[in-house]
Amino acid sequence: MTNTVGKLILTFTTIGGALFGTSAFSHTTATCSSLKRPFVRNFVKYGDTKLYAEGGAPQYDKIDAVLRQAEVVGDGSVMLHIDTTTSIEYEPGHVLALEIKGNDDDDIDSKTADDMKNNRGWMRGPYTVSRSTEKSLDVLLKVVGDKSKRFASAKPGTALKFGGKFKVPIIEGIANGENVKRVVLLSTGVGVGPCIGAIEKVLLEGSEDFANFPTVELYASYRTEREIVYKDHLDTLQNEHPERFLWKAIVSSESGRISSNEENLNCLFSSAFARDSSLHDTHYHLIGNGQMVNEFKAGLAKAGVPDDKVTTEMYFNHKAPVNDSVVDRIANAVTAGCSEAVASS
């Protein structure tokens, strides 16, 4: 396989796995001191990550690849395992452009059809990397539209193309390691994919860079229990690293949204790791539904969490109105959790 010569401009802005565009995907970022990188804020460039191309639209070189497997990992969620012969460097949370040849008999929406005509019959969209090695990628997607259905139904060996490296990866976005004792990852739906990749990197890579990495908590929200992704795997990681990692699935059909009641929120702000942390040394990464992201971002700010300790990634529902009562509930839970931590110290 070889790189396709030339660059194409990606002109659309929404897909099922991630979003291009400033209003849809915002990061306030800083990096772990153990990684020896400087403090940066608001749409930084990481390595050769190009967040904005000249002229406005993202550009990317295409790399040929094949689908190894489209693995169903939860109800409506599929992990694409992708191989290439080209050496690549991606991190969990990077966004790339992913392409697949459309079928002639596909019954697709007009916007996708028009873009296929401009791309020699290939469907394309930006998706978030869950995991990566030198010559492979994993991408978790929700099967909700024409493109995601085409990817999910593809057979092993199906030709794919990908390119570009956009946005800031999760670990790179976490605030300076010297000032952070605790990392909290809040996700909805397939937003859990890059969170899992980041957790695996911290716990399993064995690098000195992560030896003193802060404790990590994952709170993954789903509508139903059948949607939960990699439950057994996450349970194993928690059991093998009890002093470094804990996680909990929030099933909204059973207990409501994670912000809908104090009981749900207490698991975040009164956890075992929370007792040894404070407002100023806990970093929050919010990823998924725009309403969840915006409400938690507002609630954390109201409670006094510093701006540089919050990073966000929105997949959809970007303009959903913020519920003031939910914001207050989040802020109160943060404040109460900090008070308990102080009292127990």
Side-chain angles (χ1 to χ4, degrees), residues 6 48 56 121 143 149 245 248:
D48 59 354
V143 185
K149 290 176 182 177
F245 172 65
K248 180 179 176 63

Side-chain angles (χ1 to χ4, degrees), residues 50-188:
K50 188 183 298 180
L51 302 184
Y52 294 111
E54 293 181 6
Q59 299 179 356
Y60 60 99
D61 293 313
K62 295 186 176 186
I63 298 173
D64 292 328
V66 295
L67 179 68
R68 184 184 345 122
Q69 182 186 12
E71 178 191 10
V72 178
V73 293
D75 192 11
S77 295
V78 171
M79 184 73 84
L80 303 179
H81 301 285
I82 301 165
D83 294 323
T84 179
T85 59
T86 302
S87 294
I88 55 176
E89 293 184 7
Y90 286 92
E91 298 289 337
H94 269 136
V95 173
L96 51 71
L98 184 61
E99 303 189 6
I100 188 169
K101 188 80 170 178
N103 292 326
D104 293 335
D105 59 349
D106 281 340
D107 182 16
I108 57 177
D109 63 88
S110 59
K111 184 176 180 180
T112 301
D114 289 343
D115 188 65
M116 284 175 57
K117 291 178 182 178
N118 294 326
N119 195 36
R120 300 183 178 182
W122 288 73
M123 294 179 168
R124 55 184 173 179
Y127 291 86
T128 305
V129 174
S130 291
R131 307 186 185 100
S132 177
T133 68
E134 184 182 0
K135 294 188 177 181
S136 71
L137 291 165
D138 284 356
V139 173
L140 182 63
L141 56 82
K142 188 73 172 177
V143 185
V144 292
D146 295 323
K147 285 190 288 291
S148 59
K149 290 176 182 177
R150 176 71 181 95
F151 280 117
S153 63
K155 303 297 183 182
T158 297
L160 304 174
K161 297 179 186 292
F162 67 89
K165 188 188 293 182
F166 307 93
K167 309 308 178 184
V168 180
I170 290 176
I171 293 174
E172 182 69 10
I174 293 173
N176 190 296
E178 293 182 355
N179 301 317
V180 175
K181 295 181 179 179
R182 175 179 175 238
V183 173
V184 178
L185 308 173
L186 269 68
S187 69
T188 63

Side-chain angles (χ1 to χ4, degrees), residues 294-307:
N294 287 328
E295 288 177 346
F296 265 92
K297 185 176 179 180
L300 293 171
K302 189 168 185 177
V305 176
D307 289 345

Side-chain angles (χ1 to χ4, degrees), residues 6 17 26-27 30 49 54 63 99 112 138 140 170 173 182 191 211 226 228 254 276 282 294 305-306 310 314 316 334:
S26 60
H27 254 290
T49 304
E54 293 181 6
I63 298 173
E99 303 189 6
T112 301
D138 284 356
L140 182 63
I170 290 176
R182 175 179 175 238
R226 294 180 60 186
I228 298 175
E254 298 176 3
D276 298 321
T282 298
N294 287 328
V305 176
V310 180
M314 294 186 221
F316 64 97
V334 175

Side-chain angles (χ1 to χ4, degrees), residues 191-247:
V192 74
C195 293
I196 292 174
I199 291 164
E200 291 170 338
K201 195 170 185 68
V202 168
L203 297 180
L204 304 178
E205 189 172 274
S207 168
E208 291 184 4
D209 288 340
F210 301 117
N212 297 313
F213 198 83
T215 59
V216 181
E217 299 169 44
L218 169 65
Y219 300 96
S221 295
Y222 303 92
R223 288 178 298 176
T224 68
E225 188 172 357
R226 294 180 60 186
E227 292 181 352
I228 298 175
V229 171
Y230 285 154
K231 180 182 183 301
D232 291 343
H233 177 51
L234 290 168
D235 285 344
T236 298
L237 290 177
Q238 179 174 255
N239 292 335
E240 292 179 350
H241 305 273
E243 296 181 355
R244 301 187 66 194
F245 172 65
L246 63 83
W247 88 286

